[in-house]
Amino acid sequence: ALGATVDIKDNCICVSSGSLSATNINCAQIPDAVPALAVASAVSKGNTTIFGGERLRFKETDRIKTVTHGLKNMGIAVTEQPDGMVITGGSPLGGIVSGEGDHRIVMAFAILAAYSKNDTIIEGYTAINKSYPTFFEDFKALGGIANVITDR
């Protein structure tokens, strides 16, 4: 719906980005996808509304609040709603975000950091160990840059 090209063949999915455009996303049946959809919306053209996510308030963290706060910290215009958020796509600047103990948020913001003009610090990055402990190894293998900062 955001405009990426998705090809499904046999047991493989190939996703290619193009010019992403804003859309409306009812996340009632896909609450775990919201962090990833939010960061994709952050680099899309226009205003994306994510709605139907009342239960996002009761995941590992309040995902609506945590994602909204992280996007703002990275220079993206976003307005928190009771059941979601409205995101105005733009160019992320980088910044400091917190994973708040939520593995999906850490991974989503790592991807957004790859599109940022400046460095991004993700506090609580070890939350990835819940579902994908080798995430940052794979992220680096795909060309991402990630370093552990121990003096913070």
Side-chain angles (χ1 to χ4, degrees):
L2 289 167
T5 301
V6 180
D7 294 314
I8 302 172
K9 183 176 180 182
D10 299 324
N11 201 20
C12 297
I13 296 175
C14 180
V15 180
S16 303
S17 70
S19 178
L20 300 181
S21 298
T23 191
N24 295 321
I25 302 169
N26 182 345
C27 68
Q29 299 302 317
I30 53 167
D32 290 340
V34 168
L37 292 168
V39 300
S41 299
V43 296
S44 298
K45 293 178 184 162
N47 294 325
T48 294
T49 301
I50 298 175
F51 64 96
E54 294 88 353
R55 65 182 167 167
L56 288 166
R57 301 267 184 203
F58 307 103
K59 293 292 190 174
E60 287 87 341
T61 183
D62 178 338
R63 284 191 183 150
I64 294 172
K65 180 179 179 180
T66 302
V67 169
T68 299
H69 186 72
L71 291 174
K72 285 180 180 179
N73 283 358
M74 293 185 73
I76 298 297
V78 57
T79 303
E80 183 175 333
Q81 303 291 316
D83 67 338
M85 60 198 79
V86 178
I87 302 164
T88 301
S91 297
L93 302 175
I96 300 173
V97 298
S98 175
E100 294 291 334
D102 191 319
H103 53 127
R104 288 181 174 86
I105 289 174
V106 170
M107 292 184 282
F109 278 105
I111 301 303
L112 188 58
Y115 289 88
S116 297
K117 292 180 182 180
N118 301 306
D119 291 343
T120 299
I121 295 173
I122 302 172
E123 297 175 333
Y125 74 94
T126 57
I128 61 164
N129 292 331
K130 178 176 181 179
S131 64
Y132 193 169
T134 61
F135 172 80
F136 283 108
E137 293 167 24
D138 294 342
F139 180 75
K140 289 184 204 181
L142 291 168
I145 300 170
N147 299 300
V148 175
I149 300 171
T150 57
D151 61 346
R152 265 187 64 80

